[in-house]
Amino acid sequence: MQEHSHTLASALSADVQRDGFSFVTADTMRPLLQSSGDLSDWPAFSDSWNRLGPDPYLAAKGRFRRRRHATFTAAADGAIALAPHQPHYQALQYNALQGDIQRWFDPIEPSVANGASLQTILTFCHTFFGSLAPSVAQWHVEVHQFRIEANKDAAGEPTPEGSHRDGVDFVLVLLIDRHNIASGTTTIHTPDGKLLGDFTLTHPLDAALIHDPRVFHGVTSVTPLVSTEPAHRDVLVVTFRAKP
């Protein structure tokens, strides 16, 4: 199992080094995660997306999504620690809609932040991203729970800022659930707009691994398959940025 996971990780690492990104299907992502820990609380972990608070910054602009946020530190020796709750900040050059402001979101619930699934995901990211940047001594890690909702009157916008970079070193986008939605295709572009790839996260644990300085990423709007029923797309986004 460990040898197989090492082979999978090496192949993905080569993809990211060559292309700046990799699309990972659930049947590959699951053993990779399980080689880093366990997913024993996954039902409770995924259920926590039902308790996300609204994103007040987008709601003010007539767009709607739900989210929670947490910050961690990760040291080269492998230690990952939850940091005090703090705002999420992006420079205007990375987020034309909401850049240069401190945005406070509800914290990720302690049982989720300290639970097996999230700790396993963070351990995998730390090992994988650390292998791509072995000289980094300490990482600033941010974790975002997102739910994008759509209805018959308005499509849901997973990336309302459009194709963008996050202003970090590495990004994991992990699908948790999608219910009654069409589209939501992830697109990867060069800085000058050339399309490098596109794929749709369809099954729980489908993922994208992104080297943020090299490529832009975005997601197309989602619409309900059945207009009269609730529709949502749930993802976990984890970013790693080297501390100076």
Side-chain angles (χ1 to χ4, degrees):
M1 177 70 173
Q2 287 293 334
E3 183 177 347
H4 178 58
S5 297
H6 179 72
T7 301
L8 291 175
S10 296
L12 294 181
S13 178
D15 289 345
V16 174
Q17 288 176 312
R18 182 186 65 246
D19 302 325
F21 73 97
S22 183
F23 166 54
V24 192
T25 59
D27 58 355
T28 296
M29 197 67 194
R30 182 178 294 277
L32 283 172
L33 291 175
Q34 290 174 329
S35 71
S36 298
D38 70 71
L39 303 171
S40 56
D41 69 341
W42 185 265
F45 178 66
S46 59
D47 183 66
S48 70
W49 265 257
N50 292 315
R51 299 187 298 276
L52 304 187
D55 180 340
Y57 303 93
L58 273 183
K61 294 178 170 59
R63 298 178 168 96
F64 196 75
R65 67 181 172 192
R66 298 180 179 275
R67 67 191 294 176
R68 287 182 185 266
H69 171 252
T71 303
F72 295 78
T73 60
D77 64 3
I80 301 172
L82 181 64
H85 191 52
Q86 56 196 267
H88 175 53
Y89 177 86
Q90 289 176 294
L92 194 62
Q93 72 182 98
Y94 297 114
N95 191 329
L97 278 180
Q98 301 165 318
D100 288 353
I101 60 173
Q102 291 189 342
R103 288 181 287 162
W104 288 93
F105 301 106
D106 291 346
I108 291 178
E109 296 170 337
S111 62
V112 175
N114 298 306
S117 290
L118 185 56
Q119 289 298 311
T120 292
I121 292 164
L122 292 176
T123 299
F124 163 77
C125 288
H126 192 198
T127 301
F128 185 80
F129 296 146
S131 72
L132 293 169
S135 64
V136 175
Q138 193 168 43
W139 296 97
H140 174 83
V141 181
E142 295 194 48
V143 178
H144 307 262
Q145 292 179 286
F146 288 107
R147 167 168 285 183
I148 306 301
E149 296 177 326
N151 58 52
K152 62 183 177 61
D153 299 316
E157 298 180 79
T159 53
E161 62 273 70
S163 183
H164 65 285
R165 290 187 296 150
D166 288 340
V168 297
D169 291 296
F170 297 101
V171 182
L172 165 74
V173 182
L174 186 72
L175 185 72
I176 305 300
D177 182 47
R178 53 185 287 153
H179 175 72
N180 187 36
I181 60 167
S183 193
T185 298
T186 299
T187 58
I188 307 290
H189 297 84
T190 62
D192 62 3
K194 178 185 176 183
L195 180 67
L196 294 175
D198 56 52
F199 45 86
T200 302
L201 304 181
T202 304
H203 302 102
L205 295 180
D206 281 356
L209 297 163
I210 299 167
H211 186 203
D212 193 65
R214 286 179 56 192
V215 298
F216 281 62
H217 62 279
V219 184
T220 61
S221 298
V222 298
T223 55
L225 291 169
V226 179
S227 62
T228 55
E229 296 183 5
H232 65 254
R233 178 182 187 265
D234 294 349
V235 298
L236 180 79
V237 174
V238 180
T239 65
F240 271 58
R241 174 171 56 82
K243 282 192 171 183

